[in-house]
Amino acid sequence: MKINLENTYSQLADNFYQKRNPDQVKNPKLIKYNSELTEELNINLDNLSDKQKAEYFSGNKLFPNSQPIAQVYAGHQFWHYSPRLGDGRALLLWEIIDNNNLRKDIVLKWSGETMYSRWWDGKATLGSVIREYVMSEAMYNLGIPTSRSLAVVSTWDVVFRENIQPGGVLTRVASSHIRFGTFEYFLRSWDIESLKILADYSISRHYSEIEKSENKYELFFQRVLEKQIDLVVNWMRVWFIHGVMNTDNMLICWETIDYGPCAFMDHYNKNTVFSSIDQNGRYSFMNQKYSLARNLARFWETLIPLISDNTEKSIKIIEKNLENFRDQFDEKYFKMMNNKIWIFQEEYFDNKLVEDILEYLEKNNIDYTDFFRNLSKSVWEQKINNFITNYYNNTLEAENTFKKLENILQKQSWNFDEIWEMMQKINPSIIPRNYKVKNAIIAAEQNNDFTQMEKLCDILKNPYTDNQEIIKNMKAPSFIDKNYQTFCGT
């Protein structure tokens, strides 16, 4: 066994965490072990059997010199602040410097109740653990900043949810687990000294380039705002819906985290909601922009006492940065969407054309992923007319839309080879289809069969493939399940 353990977060004051060991489980079994990720993390566990790994990644055994801690955890959930949230059930085992010289947290998730978790058992269903593994690795392969999954262990402990279900434990990796809600925790306690320590630690760990700046807390907010906009726009590029965009699910290190009630949209509808707990569409696809704005406003409040001793001055400084949020978001969103239809030169960006295409997709229940991937190929192969026939039936609407697009394409000075290379990284041919994820979870929970999960994970390693057999196997369902829901499982 070779692991170089560190823990800089535990060197902060005692009020930043609770020392706690994971709960013991009766019969842990290793379901999935991410050997590629262990190589990146410079972890060598080759001398351990699967049974021994299951003991470590369930929490039954601790790695040498590991001192597990539960980090402070709070946040706004559905617009209301809660000092204790159900997801405060993760233990930071240790930190490690990976092969790229980047610091990473290794966390055991769903390993028992902590002082920061709101009443309940601190456990998770095996299905929710599988969902997080599949979705986080899919996002990573799609090129979207994300926490990742190192291991899945089934415990077969009884977990009571809507019904009795088997349990599981996930080992998660992220650049850190410092959330917007972590800052809220100290602000709401009016512990400004700890708030400053947290901000300085976060800046040193993630934004070291501004560490010595006189206005570093203002710059800190700017950097976080910019990175979070980039992240959510990237979600929208692949039609990902997070489902529970609370301040406890927004990381300072701008990685996607907490894959509970998340899903990918097949047929485009801007109001799509999959989360069973989102009854009013707060976190629908298009509302993710507004959810992010609200979360940034809550984060902004925590920095007011740090920016200046003069509260009024602090508010004005941050308001100035937040005022431009809508313009910044829209600029990045429409740049991404123009790129998806081959428009890369800013002077030719046509936001109205983008909106017209999306409106058509929504009106005709057309699969988003297939549409944009096939559009890319049709332009590359110079077969736009065939594309129009397949998707638009040569209507006047189609003729007007694609005449507009062809005119723009002819004006651009980009080399087609260069554009195609970029297009292959923008429009995936494969996403984790909801029914595929659901089937893998059902097979695991009901039949102790993990082969579907294994096959799905292998396919999702290459989301930009041109392999037609794989693409055909990962097509959108032939019908739209309007009742499809996802659950936290916690």
Side-chain angles (χ1 to χ4, degrees), residues 2-16:
K2 178 191 171 186
I3 308 177
N4 297 317
L5 308 184
E6 296 184 34
N7 198 331
T8 59
Y9 190 90
S10 67
Q11 295 170 23
L12 302 177
D14 291 348
N15 61 327
F16 279 79

Side-chain angles (χ1 to χ4, degrees), residues 331 335 338-339 343-351 412 414:
E331 180 182 350
K335 177 182 179 182
N338 274 277
N339 290 171
I343 306 176
F344 286 90
Q345 288 179 238
E346 192 171 345
E347 62 265 37
Y348 299 124
F349 282 0
D350 192 329
N351 298 345
Q412 286 191 115
W414 283 77

Side-chain angles (χ1 to χ4, degrees), residues 208-459:
S208 58
E209 72 278 6
I210 65 170
E211 195 169 5
K212 295 181 180 179
S213 303
E214 289 184 12
N215 60 336
K216 64 178 178 180
Y217 301 119
E218 179 187 355
L219 292 173
F220 180 35
F221 180 77
Q222 288 177 5
R223 296 291 196 280
V224 171
L225 181 147
E226 290 166 4
K227 292 292 188 180
Q228 289 293 337
I229 290 175
D230 288 341
L231 177 63
V232 175
V233 167
N234 224 343
W235 292 353
M236 298 175 82
R237 174 176 65 85
V238 296
W239 253 222
F240 173 77
I241 303 173
H242 187 282
V244 59
M245 286 180 68
N246 301 321
T247 58
D248 63 306
N249 292 334
M250 296 272 105
L251 291 182
I252 297 302
C253 69
W254 70 90
E255 292 175 348
T256 313
I257 194 167
D258 286 340
Y259 291 89
C262 68
F264 282 76
M265 186 161 50
D266 295 320
H267 303 91
Y268 176 63
N269 185 319
K270 60 180 176 292
N271 298 315
T272 297
V273 172
F274 291 115
S275 171
S276 63
I277 59 175
D278 187 5
Q279 299 298 319
N280 300 310
R282 290 182 178 93
Y283 306 136
S284 67
F285 177 75
M286 287 306 291
N287 276 345
Q288 292 184 122
K289 166 184 172 181
Y290 305 107
S291 297
L292 176 58
R294 285 191 294 270
N295 289 339
L296 286 166
R298 301 290 76 78
F299 177 55
W300 152 51
E301 291 170 349
T302 70
L303 299 181
I304 289 174
L306 303 183
I307 289 174
S308 172
D309 293 334
N310 185 321
T311 300
E312 189 175 333
K313 180 181 177 182
S314 287
I315 291 173
K316 285 182 179 178
I317 289 172
I318 295 290
E319 277 183 340
K320 183 181 177 182
N321 287 287
L322 200 55
E323 275 174 5
N324 297 324
F325 168 82
R326 184 189 293 269
D327 290 341
Q328 289 184 58
F329 190 98
D330 287 349
E331 180 182 350
K332 290 185 176 183
Y333 169 76
F334 279 110
K335 177 182 179 182
M336 176 273 293
M337 290 302 303
N338 274 277
N339 290 171
K340 284 181 75 70
I341 58 174
W342 284 77
I343 306 176
F344 286 90
Q345 288 179 238
E346 192 171 345
E347 62 265 37
Y348 299 124
F349 282 0
D350 192 329
N351 298 345
K352 178 64 167 60
L353 176 60
V354 167
E355 290 175 337
D356 287 345
I357 290 174
L358 292 178
E359 183 180 344
Y360 186 86
L361 292 182
E362 184 167 13
K363 189 166 62 177
N364 293 276
N365 293 321
I366 293 174
D367 181 68
Y368 176 88
T369 301
D370 287 352
F371 178 89
F372 283 100
R373 184 69 176 191
N374 289 331
L375 173 61
S376 301
K377 289 180 66 177
S378 72
V379 176
W380 169 248
E381 296 170 354
Q382 298 184 27
K383 295 179 180 177
I384 289 185
N385 287 334
N386 291 348
F387 179 84
I388 294 172
T389 301
N390 290 336
Y391 280 97
Y392 281 80
N393 298 319
N394 284 324
T395 61
L396 181 61
E397 183 179 12
E399 187 177 341
N400 292 336
T401 297
F402 283 92
K403 269 187 179 177
K404 206 173 179 184
L405 180 58
E406 281 186 303
N407 288 336
I408 294 172
L409 293 175
Q410 290 171 6
K411 291 176 184 176
Q412 286 191 115
S413 58
W414 283 77
N415 179 288
F416 259 42
D417 290 332
E418 294 173 334
I419 292 179
W420 175 240
E421 189 175 335
M422 288 187 290
M423 291 299 297
Q424 287 180 306
K425 299 174 183 177
I426 293 171
N427 291 327
S429 54
I430 290 172
I431 58 170
R433 300 290 186 181
N434 298 327
Y435 72 99
K436 294 284 187 178
V437 178
K438 181 180 179 180
N439 290 344
I441 290 173
I442 290 173
E445 288 187 326
Q446 297 183 2
N447 303 316
N448 197 23
D449 176 6
F450 300 95
T451 56
Q452 288 195 47
M453 174 194 177
E454 196 69 44
K455 289 177 182 177
L456 184 58
C457 287
D458 284 343
I459 289 172

Side-chain angles (χ1 to χ4, degrees), residues 147-161:
S147 59
R148 297 189 65 188
S149 298
L150 182 58
V152 172
V153 172
S154 66
T155 63
W156 299 103
D157 288 349
V158 172
V159 178
F160 295 93
R161 293 300 179 261

Side-chain angles (χ1 to χ4, degrees), residues 19 23 437 439 472:
K19 291 181 180 179
D23 285 355
V437 178
N439 290 344
K472 185 178 180 180

